[in-house]
């Protein structure tokens, strides 16, 4: 320590810049010599990883990878890095597993692309059913009844997009399985004419594992509108004893757009089918309720669409009940189910806490991302302070040198924390 202070004093005592430069050169000479000697000694006893980098000329050059350099670090430093790398690798494996589940094999087309309807659609429908989707309040439109059916309808107008409709239809003496097959049976929908707006249907893709389908519909509209075509993706989940059926518009490049019929891109019509207690007061769950959520952009002014829907809603709904009874009779008579009805019976069964877990996953992922940065910052601070301690203990045992080194390290760590 005394040698360093005396050398600095000699530099400051020089009257000219040239003399100060000479003294500094004399002071730096031993340091350069020590560095050169250290380099020669280090090269003579170089470790294996250094010998691997500099290979003989006859051998092909070797490139040191990130894992190679990490393996050369001390165990105390390598441990946290290996933990972070393992966590990142586990996250990637979980993501790959979810992607594999989302691309379960069905038809040859669906085996090569993502399913048209996924878990996020189930969560969205579940929120609508539970009434916690965050949308505006529903306005009641009508309440009608038949001897074996009751019907209620609501509407709401979001800030952006077409009007949205919700309805509750309760059928007496019907099971959720029967109603599920009934609404999914496109062939019976057309042959029975209970949905007289559907004029053609075609199954484009289907997955025999999840029951996901992509279908092409053409529906007729009143005389002042041209026909509309729909590319619909649909899938059914079973939560407990209830069925959550999602149908929505999906893109399809295999069917080109035409001027007529006009394609409807924004289409959503999903429902929850569940057993409820009969209004007849017999104490049993012999009735079935369908909660429907529907909206679509038909390409006409929203106010005009609201008037038309309000006027024609009950006329369409009251034809459903006779169609359902005819469907029940056909099944009781032994008529085989149609291909689309068989696909409706392929469901994805999930537990009661599945959707709640799906909702909490997004919040947990945000928390994990927020906690990841402090971990990285602590690691950087650990490396800087550890390097400062090692340098201070190696160069000198004096207090002045240690204070200088720790001051620089503390300032650097403070700047890292502000980033």
């Amino acid at each position: 320590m005394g040698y360093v202070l005396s050398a600095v004093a000699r530099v400051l005592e020089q009257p000219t810049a040239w003399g100060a430069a000479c003294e500094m050169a004399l002071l730096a000479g031993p340091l350069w010599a020590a560095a050169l000697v250290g380099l020669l000694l280090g090269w003579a006893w170089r470790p294996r990883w250094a010998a691997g980098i500099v290979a003989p000329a006859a051998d092909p050059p070797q490139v040191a990878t990130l894992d190679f350099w990490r393996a050369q670090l001390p165990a105390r430093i390598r441990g946290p890095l290996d933990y972070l790398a393992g966590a990142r690798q586990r996250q990637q494996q979980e993501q790959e597993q979810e992607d594999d589940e989302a691309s379960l094999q069905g038809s040859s087309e669906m085996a090569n692309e993502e399913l048209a309807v996924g878990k996020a659609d189930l969560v969205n429908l579940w929120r609508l059913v539970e009434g916690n989707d965050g949308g505006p309040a529903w306005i009641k439109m009508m309440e009608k009844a038949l001897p074996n059916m009751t019907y209620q309808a609501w509407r709401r107008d979001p800030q952006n997009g077409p009007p949205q409709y919700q309805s509750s239809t309760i059928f007496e003496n019907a099971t959720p399985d029967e109603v599920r097959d009934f609404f999914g049976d496109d062939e019976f929908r057309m042959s029975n004419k209970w949905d007289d707006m559907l004029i053609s249907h075609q199954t484009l893709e289907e997955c025999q594992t999840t029951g996901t389908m992509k279908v092409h519909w053409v529906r007729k509209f009143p005389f002042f509108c041209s026909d509309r075509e729909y590319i619909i993706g649909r899938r059914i989940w079973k939560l407990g004893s209830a069925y959550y059926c999602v149908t929505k518009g999906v893109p399809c490049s295999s069917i080109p757009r035409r001027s007529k019929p006009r394609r409807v891109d924004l289409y959503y019509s999903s429902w929850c089918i569940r057993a409820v207690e009969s209004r007849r007061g017999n104490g049993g769950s012999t009735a079935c309720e369908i909660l429907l959520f529907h909206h679509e952009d038909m390409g006409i002014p929203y106010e005009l669409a609201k008037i038309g829907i309000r006027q024609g809603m009950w006329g369409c709904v009251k034809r459903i009940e006779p169609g359902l009874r005819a469907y029940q009779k056909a099944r009781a008579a032994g008529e085989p189910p149609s291909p689309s009805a068989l696909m409706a019976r392929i469901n994805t069964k999930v537990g009661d806490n599945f959707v709640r877990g799906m909702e909490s996953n997004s919040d947990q992922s945000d928390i994990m991302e927020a906690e990841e940065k402090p971990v990285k910052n602590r690691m950087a601070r650990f490396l800087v302070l550890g390097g400062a301690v090692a340098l201070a203990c190696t160069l000198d045992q004096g207090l002045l040198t240690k204070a200088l080194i720790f001051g620089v390290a503390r300032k650097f760590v403070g700047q890292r924390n502000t980033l």
Side-chain angles (χ1 to χ4, degrees):
M1 187 65 187
Y3 173 76
V4 175
L5 293 177
S6 61
V8 173
R10 288 198 304 271
V11 172
L12 297 177
E13 289 175 356
Q14 296 298 322
T16 61
W18 177 254
C22 294
E23 288 293 335
M24 292 181 64
L26 293 176
L27 176 62
L31 297 178
W32 280 106
L36 183 60
V37 171
L39 179 62
L40 295 176
L41 292 177
W43 185 255
W45 286 283
R46 61 185 180 275
R48 290 175 299 170
W49 58 268
I53 295 178
V54 183
D59 297 335
Q62 300 180 6
V63 180
T65 62
L66 181 61
D67 294 335
F68 173 80
W69 287 109
R70 187 168 55 195
Q72 313 307 321
L73 296 174
R76 293 183 179 180
I77 300 177
R78 189 173 63 250
L81 294 178
D82 292 341
Y83 175 78
L84 294 176
R88 188 178 296 107
Q89 185 177 4
R90 288 192 298 271
Q91 184 178 3
Q92 292 177 353
Q93 292 177 352
E94 292 176 358
Q95 183 64 33
E96 292 176 356
Q97 184 177 2
E98 292 180 358
D99 295 340
D100 293 339
E101 293 177 357
S103 59
L104 292 173
Q105 293 184 354
S107 64
S108 59
E109 294 85 356
M110 279 200 169
N112 297 324
E113 64 180 26
E114 185 180 359
L115 294 177
V117 184
K119 296 177 181 178
D121 299 297
L122 170 61
V123 174
N124 181 54
L125 176 57
W126 181 82
R127 288 173 176 170
L128 287 170
V129 173
E130 298 296 323
N132 59 1
D133 65 310
W138 295 96
I139 303 172
K140 193 168 186 178
M141 294 176 57
M142 67 173 62
E143 183 173 358
K144 301 284 186 178
L146 294 174
N148 292 315
M149 185 187 79
T150 58
Y151 178 77
Q152 298 180 75
W154 299 264
R155 191 198 77 239
R156 68 182 182 183
D157 300 314
Q159 294 182 353
N160 300 316
Q164 299 178 0
Y165 297 90
Q166 175 187 354
S167 67
S168 171
T169 309
I170 299 178
F171 296 105
E172 298 289 341
N173 300 321
T175 65
D177 291 353
E178 291 174 340
V179 176
R180 175 205 62 198
D181 295 349
F182 171 69
F183 278 101
D185 196 331
D186 291 342
E187 290 80 2
F188 188 83
R189 185 186 290 259
M190 283 195 61
S191 62
N192 182 261
K193 298 296 183 181
W194 69 264
D195 184 1
D196 59 354
M197 295 182 65
L198 182 64
I199 58 178
S200 71
H201 70 89
Q202 177 188 2
T203 300
L204 303 177
E205 301 174 8
E206 61 184 22
C207 176
Q208 294 291 337
T209 304
T210 63
T212 306
M213 298 181 65
K214 183 183 289 187
V215 298
H216 177 249
W217 277 9
V218 177
R219 299 174 66 85
K220 66 178 181 180
F221 274 66
F223 64 92
F224 57 87
C225 293
S226 61
D227 296 340
R228 299 292 194 267
E229 73 167 354
Y230 302 79
I231 308 297
I232 299 174
R234 61 190 183 194
R235 183 178 178 183
I236 302 177
W237 285 267
K238 186 174 183 181
L239 279 72
S241 59
Y243 294 102
Y244 285 73
C245 313
V246 176
T247 65
K248 66 174 187 177
V250 295
C252 181
S253 59
S254 60
I255 299 180
R257 293 179 180 271
R258 298 171 292 177
S259 58
K260 291 184 180 182
R262 180 173 178 176
R263 181 171 300 182
V264 176
D265 294 314
L266 179 56
Y267 175 82
Y268 184 85
S269 186
S270 301
W271 56 88
C272 173
I273 303 174
R274 57 191 179 187
V276 294
E277 185 177 352
S278 172
R279 63 173 181 169
R280 297 172 180 173
N282 54 14
S285 299
T286 58
C288 180
E289 181 186 28
I290 300 93
L291 284 175
L292 172 68
F293 300 90
H294 179 96
H295 65 268
E296 61 178 291
D297 189 351
M298 297 176 287
I300 61 178
Y302 294 160
E303 295 300 325
L304 181 60
K306 287 194 291 187
I307 296 175
I309 291 174
R310 184 178 183 87
Q311 296 298 323
M313 179 179 291
W314 176 241
C316 294
V317 171
K318 67 182 181 180
R319 287 196 297 269
I320 300 177
E321 202 269 339
L324 175 61
R325 304 309 172 187
Y327 193 78
Q328 289 176 322
K329 292 179 180 179
R331 297 287 84 81
E335 291 188 12
S338 66
S340 57
L342 292 176
M343 288 297 299
R345 297 179 181 180
I346 303 176
N347 316 134
T348 304
K349 298 178 177 63
V350 294
D352 296 337
N353 297 325
F354 173 80
V355 180
R356 294 180 177 85
M358 288 288 295
E359 277 195 317
S360 62
N361 280 345
S362 59
D363 299 334
Q364 292 177 359
S365 62
D366 295 340
I367 295 174
M368 291 177 61
E369 290 178 359
E371 291 180 350
E372 187 176 357
K373 291 183 178 180
V375 172
K376 294 180 179 179
N377 290 338
R378 288 195 297 268
M379 180 59 62
R381 293 176 62 186
F382 171 77
L383 293 176
V384 172
L385 293 177
V389 171
L391 183 61
C393 295
T394 303
L395 293 180
D396 198 272
Q397 297 181 356
L399 295 178
L400 181 59
T401 304
K402 293 180 179 180
L404 178 62
I405 294 175
F406 283 123
V408 173
R410 191 182 303 111
K411 183 176 181 180
F412 178 77
V413 172
Q415 292 177 351
R416 292 277 302 180
N417 292 334
T418 59
L419 295 179

